[in-house]
Tab-separated table of all heavy atoms in Angstrom:
chain	number	residue	atom	x	y	z
K	544	ASP	N	30.579	-4.314	28.547
K	544	ASP	CA	30.828	-3.838	27.191
K	544	ASP	C	30.991	-2.330	27.251
K	544	ASP	O	30.031	-1.588	27.453
K	544	ASP	CB	29.653	-4.223	26.280
K	544	ASP	CG	29.921	-3.885	24.818
K	544	ASP	OD1	30.864	-3.128	24.540
K	544	ASP	OD2	29.167	-4.381	23.953
K	545	GLU	N	32.213	-1.843	27.076
K	545	GLU	CA	32.511	-0.423	27.240
K	545	GLU	C	31.845	0.435	26.163
K	545	GLU	O	31.623	1.633	26.372
K	545	GLU	CB	34.023	-0.200	27.231
K	545	GLU	CG	34.731	-0.847	28.412
K	545	GLU	CD	36.213	-0.495	28.458
K	545	GLU	OE1	36.620	0.422	27.712
K	545	GLU	OE2	36.959	-1.114	29.225
K	546	ALA	N	31.524	-0.165	25.010
K	546	ALA	CA	30.876	0.611	23.952
K	546	ALA	C	29.420	0.920	24.285
K	546	ALA	O	28.833	1.857	23.756
K	546	ALA	CB	30.959	-0.141	22.625
K	547	VAL	N	28.858	0.139	25.189
K	547	VAL	CA	27.459	0.319	25.557
K	547	VAL	C	27.318	1.010	26.904
K	547	VAL	O	26.355	1.744	27.144
K	547	VAL	CB	26.724	-1.040	25.573
K	547	VAL	CG1	25.253	-0.879	25.940
K	547	VAL	CG2	26.858	-1.736	24.225
K	548	CYS	N	28.285	0.805	27.781
K	548	CYS	CA	28.214	1.348	29.139
K	548	CYS	C	28.199	2.873	29.124
K	548	CYS	O	28.926	3.518	28.370
K	548	CYS	CB	29.412	0.839	29.953
K	548	CYS	SG	29.435	1.448	31.650
K	549	LYS	N	27.359	3.452	29.979
K	549	LYS	CA	27.240	4.902	30.112
K	549	LYS	C	27.852	5.431	31.402
K	549	LYS	O	27.749	6.627	31.690
K	549	LYS	CB	25.769	5.307	30.051
K	549	LYS	CG	25.118	5.062	28.699
K	549	LYS	CD	25.805	5.856	27.615
K	549	LYS	CE	25.193	5.597	26.267
K	549	LYS	NZ	25.928	6.303	25.195
K	550	GLY	N	28.444	4.562	32.183
K	550	GLY	CA	29.115	5.012	33.399
K	550	GLY	C	28.191	5.525	34.470
K	550	GLY	O	28.569	6.412	35.243
K	551	CYS	N	26.995	4.954	34.555
K	551	CYS	CA	26.051	5.427	35.563
K	551	CYS	C	26.446	4.967	36.958
K	551	CYS	O	26.034	5.568	37.961
K	551	CYS	CB	24.645	4.956	35.230
K	551	CYS	SG	24.432	3.159	35.315
K	552	GLY	N	27.207	3.880	37.065
K	552	GLY	CA	27.701	3.406	38.355
K	552	GLY	C	26.749	2.533	39.134
K	552	GLY	O	27.016	2.198	40.281
K	553	THR	N	25.628	2.145	38.549
K	553	THR	CA	24.668	1.298	39.260
K	553	THR	C	25.284	-0.039	39.643
K	553	THR	O	25.084	-0.537	40.755
K	553	THR	CB	23.418	1.075	38.388
K	553	THR	OG1	22.885	2.334	37.999
K	553	THR	CG2	22.360	0.300	39.156
K	554	CYS	N	26.041	-0.622	38.711
K	554	CYS	CA	26.657	-1.919	38.989
K	554	CYS	C	27.700	-1.811	40.090
K	554	CYS	O	27.867	-2.732	40.907
K	554	CYS	CB	27.275	-2.495	37.711
K	554	CYS	SG	28.486	-1.398	36.924
K	555	VAL	N	28.408	-0.679	40.137
K	555	VAL	CA	29.425	-0.472	41.171
K	555	VAL	C	28.773	-0.423	42.549
K	555	VAL	O	29.294	-0.971	43.530
K	555	VAL	CB	30.204	0.829	40.892
K	555	VAL	CG1	31.246	1.078	41.993
K	555	VAL	CG2	30.877	0.769	39.529
K	556	ALA	N	27.604	0.198	42.623
K	556	ALA	CA	26.929	0.359	43.906
K	556	ALA	C	26.422	-0.960	44.466
K	556	ALA	O	26.372	-1.138	45.695
K	556	ALA	CB	25.777	1.344	43.759
K	557	VAL	N	26.018	-1.898	43.604
K	557	VAL	CA	25.416	-3.139	44.095
K	557	VAL	C	26.413	-4.283	44.207
K	557	VAL	O	26.095	-5.324	44.792
K	557	VAL	CB	24.246	-3.586	43.180
K	557	VAL	CG1	23.169	-2.520	43.126
K	557	VAL	CG2	24.734	-3.941	41.784
K	558	CYS	N	27.628	-4.124	43.686
K	558	CYS	CA	28.601	-5.232	43.694
K	558	CYS	C	29.026	-5.557	45.125
K	558	CYS	O	29.632	-4.720	45.812
K	558	CYS	CB	29.812	-4.865	42.852
K	558	CYS	SG	31.031	-6.196	42.750
K	559	PRO	N	28.727	-6.775	45.624
K	559	PRO	CA	29.061	-7.101	47.031
K	559	PRO	C	30.544	-7.341	47.264
K	559	PRO	O	31.031	-7.173	48.390
K	559	PRO	CB	28.249	-8.379	47.291
K	559	PRO	CG	28.096	-9.010	45.946
K	559	PRO	CD	28.024	-7.888	44.969
K	560	SER	N	31.274	-7.691	46.206
K	560	SER	CA	32.704	-7.989	46.381
K	560	SER	C	33.598	-6.821	46.023
K	560	SER	O	34.816	-6.893	46.206
K	560	SER	CB	33.085	-9.193	45.510
K	560	SER	OG	32.915	-8.900	44.135
K	561	GLY	N	33.038	-5.760	45.477
K	561	GLY	CA	33.837	-4.613	45.075
K	561	GLY	C	34.596	-4.833	43.789
K	561	GLY	O	35.488	-4.042	43.454
K	562	ALA	N	34.217	-5.887	43.023
K	562	ALA	CA	34.911	-6.171	41.768
K	562	ALA	C	34.548	-5.158	40.691
K	562	ALA	O	35.353	-4.868	39.817
K	562	ALA	CB	34.577	-7.583	41.290
K	563	ALA	N	33.332	-4.620	40.750
K	563	ALA	CA	32.899	-3.630	39.762
K	563	ALA	C	33.389	-2.252	40.203
K	563	ALA	O	33.077	-1.792	41.305
K	563	ALA	CB	31.397	-3.641	39.622
K	564	GLN	N	34.175	-1.634	39.359
K	564	GLN	CA	34.702	-0.307	39.637
K	564	GLN	C	34.434	0.598	38.441
K	564	GLN	O	34.191	0.129	37.325
K	564	GLN	CB	36.206	-0.374	39.908
K	564	GLN	CG	36.581	-1.095	41.193
K	564	GLN	CD	36.155	-0.337	42.437
K	564	GLN	OE1	36.241	0.897	42.480
K	564	GLN	NE2	35.688	-1.062	43.451
K	565	GLN	N	34.479	1.907	38.691
K	565	GLN	CA	34.241	2.881	37.642
K	565	GLN	C	35.561	3.550	37.295
K	565	GLN	O	36.298	3.992	38.196
K	565	GLN	CB	33.224	3.928	38.113
K	565	GLN	CG	32.460	4.587	36.995
K	565	GLN	CD	31.224	5.307	37.503
K	565	GLN	OE1	31.018	5.385	38.714
K	565	GLN	NE2	30.415	5.829	36.611
K	566	ARG	N	35.875	3.591	36.020
K	566	ARG	CA	37.134	4.218	35.595
K	566	ARG	C	37.185	5.670	36.055
K	566	ARG	O	36.199	6.409	35.956
K	566	ARG	CB	37.267	4.162	34.074
K	566	ARG	CG	37.422	2.741	33.519
K	566	ARG	CD	37.705	2.799	32.034
K	566	ARG	NE	37.689	1.474	31.436
K	566	ARG	CZ	38.714	0.619	31.461
K	566	ARG	NH1	39.838	0.974	32.076
K	566	ARG	NH2	38.620	-0.563	30.882
K	567	PHE	N	38.369	6.057	36.540
K	567	PHE	CA	38.624	7.413	37.049
K	567	PHE	C	37.867	7.719	38.330
K	567	PHE	O	37.881	8.855	38.797
K	567	PHE	CB	38.294	8.482	35.991
K	567	PHE	CG	38.916	8.229	34.655
K	567	PHE	CD1	38.141	7.942	33.549
K	567	PHE	CD2	40.306	8.256	34.510
K	567	PHE	CE1	38.709	7.705	32.312
K	567	PHE	CE2	40.877	8.018	33.273
K	567	PHE	CZ	40.090	7.736	32.169
K	568	PHE	N	37.210	6.689	38.909
K	568	PHE	CA	36.531	6.875	40.187
K	568	PHE	C	36.871	5.743	41.146
K	568	PHE	O	36.079	5.388	42.006
K	568	PHE	CB	35.009	6.937	39.979
K	568	PHE	CG	34.514	8.266	39.472
K	568	PHE	CD1	34.420	8.493	38.120
K	568	PHE	CD2	34.197	9.299	40.356
K	568	PHE	CE1	33.990	9.717	37.634
K	568	PHE	CE2	33.754	10.516	39.869
K	568	PHE	CZ	33.654	10.742	38.513
K	569	ALA	N	38.095	5.202	40.993
K	569	ALA	CA	38.540	4.152	41.903
K	569	ALA	C	38.781	4.755	43.293
K	569	ALA	O	38.979	5.968	43.447
K	569	ALA	CB	39.815	3.494	41.390
K	570	ASP	N	38.777	3.887	44.321
K	570	ASP	CA	38.942	4.385	45.694
K	570	ASP	C	40.254	5.130	45.855
K	570	ASP	O	40.314	6.184	46.512
K	570	ASP	CB	38.867	3.215	46.672
K	570	ASP	CG	37.471	2.619	46.739
K	570	ASP	OD1	36.520	3.293	46.262
K	570	ASP	OD2	37.310	1.495	47.257
K	571	THR	N	41.342	4.583	45.259
K	571	THR	CA	42.658	5.239	45.410
K	571	THR	C	42.652	6.613	44.755
K	571	THR	O	43.258	7.566	45.278
K	571	THR	CB	43.741	4.362	44.772
K	571	THR	OG1	43.359	4.054	43.421
K	571	THR	CG2	43.910	3.050	45.544
K	572	GLU	N	41.938	6.757	43.616
K	572	GLU	CA	41.892	8.055	42.934
K	572	GLU	C	41.093	9.070	43.740
K	572	GLU	O	41.488	10.244	43.854
K	572	GLU	CB	41.281	7.875	41.550
K	572	GLU	CG	42.154	7.056	40.603
K	572	GLU	CD	41.446	6.721	39.314
K	572	GLU	OE1	40.318	6.203	39.388
K	572	GLU	OE2	42.031	6.976	38.250
K	573	ILE	N	40.003	8.637	44.313
K	573	ILE	CA	39.177	9.554	45.108
K	573	ILE	C	39.939	9.985	46.356
K	573	ILE	O	39.934	11.168	46.747
K	573	ILE	CB	37.848	8.885	45.468
K	573	ILE	CG1	37.017	8.639	44.195
K	573	ILE	CG2	37.060	9.747	46.449
K	573	ILE	CD1	35.733	7.886	44.426
K	574	MET	N	40.610	9.002	46.979
K	574	MET	CA	41.383	9.353	48.179
K	574	MET	C	42.514	10.310	47.839
K	574	MET	O	42.834	11.224	48.620
K	574	MET	CB	41.938	8.075	48.816
K	574	MET	CG	40.870	7.169	49.420
K	574	MET	SD	39.923	8.023	50.722
K	574	MET	CE	38.812	6.708	51.210
K	575	ALA	N	43.137	10.127	46.682
K	575	ALA	CA	44.222	11.018	46.275
K	575	ALA	C	43.700	12.434	46.050
K	575	ALA	O	44.380	13.425	46.373
K	575	ALA	CB	44.886	10.477	45.013
K	576	GLU	N	42.508	12.544	45.478
K	576	GLU	CA	41.916	13.862	45.280
K	576	GLU	C	41.650	14.545	46.618
K	576	GLU	O	41.897	15.746	46.789
K	576	GLU	CB	40.617	13.730	44.474
K	576	GLU	CG	40.820	13.328	43.028
K	576	GLU	CD	39.506	13.158	42.300
K	576	GLU	OE1	38.458	13.449	42.905
K	576	GLU	OE2	39.535	12.733	41.130
K	577	ILE	N	41.116	13.763	47.572
K	577	ILE	CA	40.842	14.337	48.889
K	577	ILE	C	42.146	14.756	49.562
K	577	ILE	O	42.250	15.820	50.198
K	577	ILE	CB	40.084	13.319	49.764
K	577	ILE	CG1	38.712	13.022	49.148
K	577	ILE	CG2	39.942	13.829	51.189
K	577	ILE	CD1	37.951	11.938	49.859
K	578	ASP	N	43.196	13.902	49.390
K	578	ASP	CA	44.505	14.199	49.989
K	578	ASP	C	45.063	15.502	49.426
K	578	ASP	O	45.623	16.328	50.162
K	578	ASP	CB	45.449	13.034	49.707
K	578	ASP	CG	46.733	13.135	50.511
K	578	ASP	OD1	46.707	13.717	51.620
K	578	ASP	OD2	47.755	12.641	50.025
K	579	GLY	N	44.897	15.715	48.122
K	579	GLY	CA	45.390	16.938	47.503
K	579	GLY	C	44.642	18.164	47.979
K	579	GLY	O	45.239	19.229	48.187
K	580	LEU	N	43.350	18.043	48.157
K	580	LEU	CA	42.568	19.177	48.651
K	580	LEU	C	42.958	19.555	50.075
K	580	LEU	O	43.065	20.738	50.420
K	580	LEU	CB	41.078	18.846	48.584
K	580	LEU	CG	40.458	18.762	47.173
K	580	LEU	CD1	39.030	18.235	47.268
K	580	LEU	CD2	40.473	20.130	46.518
K	581	LEU	N	43.150	18.531	50.903
K	581	LEU	CA	43.515	18.813	52.295
K	581	LEU	C	44.905	19.400	52.424
K	581	LEU	O	45.180	20.185	53.339
K	581	LEU	CB	43.403	17.536	53.123
K	581	LEU	CG	41.989	16.967	53.290
K	581	LEU	CD1	42.033	15.644	54.047
K	581	LEU	CD2	41.086	17.954	54.008
K	582	ALA	N	45.790	19.020	51.479
K	582	ALA	CA	47.169	19.518	51.537
K	582	ALA	C	47.209	21.017	51.340
K	582	ALA	O	48.106	21.700	51.848
K	582	ALA	CB	48.014	18.822	50.485
K	583	GLU	N	46.278	21.568	50.587
K	583	GLU	CA	46.270	22.998	50.311
K	583	GLU	C	45.988	23.830	51.560
K	583	GLU	O	46.348	25.000	51.625
K	583	GLU	CB	45.240	23.314	49.231
K	583	GLU	CG	45.586	22.731	47.867
K	583	GLU	CD	44.564	23.088	46.827
K	583	GLU	OE1	43.613	23.825	47.180
K	583	GLU	OE2	44.697	22.642	45.658
K	584	ILE	N	45.335	23.271	52.555
K	584	ILE	CA	45.007	24.052	53.761
K	584	ILE	C	45.945	23.682	54.908
K	584	ILE	O	45.728	24.073	56.057
K	584	ILE	CB	43.558	23.820	54.176
K	584	ILE	CG1	43.286	22.342	54.470
K	584	ILE	CG2	42.624	24.331	53.125
K	584	ILE	CD1	41.882	22.083	54.995
K	585	GLY	N	46.985	22.908	54.582
K	585	GLY	CA	48.020	22.655	55.579
K	585	GLY	C	47.804	21.449	56.437
K	585	GLY	O	48.722	21.049	57.171
K	586	ASP	N	46.586	20.818	56.412
K	586	ASP	CA	46.344	19.611	57.214
K	586	ASP	C	46.571	18.406	56.326
K	586	ASP	O	45.716	18.045	55.511
K	586	ASP	CB	44.920	19.581	57.752
K	586	ASP	CG	44.681	20.690	58.759
K	586	ASP	OD1	45.660	21.055	59.437
K	586	ASP	OD2	43.538	21.161	58.840
K	587	ARG	N	47.730	17.864	56.425
K	587	ARG	CA	48.081	16.756	55.561
K	587	ARG	C	47.777	15.444	56.283
K	587	ARG	O	48.223	15.227	57.395
K	587	ARG	CB	49.563	16.823	55.198
K	587	ARG	CG	49.935	15.886	54.050
K	587	ARG	CD	51.380	16.175	53.624
K	587	ARG	NE	51.724	15.384	52.473
K	587	ARG	CZ	51.394	15.688	51.208
K	587	ARG	NH1	50.728	16.803	50.991
K	587	ARG	NH2	51.736	14.913	50.207
Side-chain angles (χ1 to χ4, degrees):
D544 186 346
E545 295 186 12
V547 181
C548 180
K549 294 299 179 184
C551 66
T553 305
C554 56
V555 178
V557 300
C558 182
S560 63
Q564 293 292 322
Q565 206 164 6
R566 294 186 187 278
F567 310 114
F568 282 90
D570 291 344
T571 53
E572 293 172 309
I573 294 175
M574 292 301 181
E576 291 178 5
I577 296 174
D578 191 29
L580 290 172
L581 294 176
E583 294 181 2
I584 59 175
D586 294 329
R587 193 172 185 81

